[in-house]
Amino acid sequence: QVQLVESGGGLVQAGDSLRLSCVASRLTFSSYAMGWFRQAPGKERGFVAATRGSGGSTSYADSVKGRFTISRDNTKNTVYLQMNSLKPEDTAVYYCAAELGGSNLRLPRAYDYWGQGTQVTVSS
């Protein structure tokens, strides 16, 4: 079955950077849009960033625009999330997800497959 495996989370200080990776298997990776979402304790899962299959089209939540960058390497079946200038409010479990079908990529329900998540904790 399809697998999405995230890595790269950790504990950092405010202002630091992290790069998350998500490796996909058992799907035609370049056909899928890929998204990053996050969920903090007691909150709903929220959109962070997404990229279409070719990688040429990206979108971001306003809260991360200018600080986070989503990219993908279709030769490695991997999507990345470069996170700079991290803030304590970025603390959450970060999930990658795959979508096939051209839906609204900001909506969790649009996605077909999800990873297990990786914890990002930013201390002040």
Side-chain angles (χ1 to χ4, degrees), residues 3-124:
Q3 243 187 339
L4 303 177
V5 180
E6 302 97 334
S7 62
L11 171 63
V12 297
Q13 293 187 329
D16 286 350
S17 298
L18 277 176
R19 188 175 82 154
L20 305 184
S21 301
C22 171
V23 181
S25 57
R26 301 186 187 93
L27 53 68
T28 305
F29 186 70
S30 60
S31 297
Y32 282 78
M34 299 297 295
W36 286 97
F37 289 77
R38 65 187 181 186
Q39 188 167 19
K43 295 189 176 182
E44 293 186 352
R45 192 169 296 188
F47 172 75
V48 175
T51 177
R52 293 287 179 188
S54 65
S57 173
T58 59
S59 61
Y60 297 91
D62 288 344
S63 59
V64 307
K65 203 172 292 184
R67 298 188 299 124
F68 290 12
T69 303
I70 188 171
S71 62
R72 63 191 295 159
D73 185 341
N74 287 347
T75 67
K76 297 181 179 179
N77 282 14
T78 302
V79 61
Y80 305 98
L81 186 68
Q82 177 66 44
M83 305 187 295
N84 298 330
S85 303
L86 283 161
K87 304 176 181 179
E89 51 264 43
D90 295 319
T91 295
V93 177
Y94 283 71
Y95 299 89
C96 72
E99 186 274 349
L100 181 68
S103 301
N104 184 337
L105 296 181
R106 293 175 177 261
L107 300 178
R109 66 173 182 265
Y111 289 79
D112 303 293
Y113 304 105
W114 291 85
Q116 294 299 307
T118 184
Q119 177 71 47
V120 172
T121 303
V122 184
S123 63
S124 57

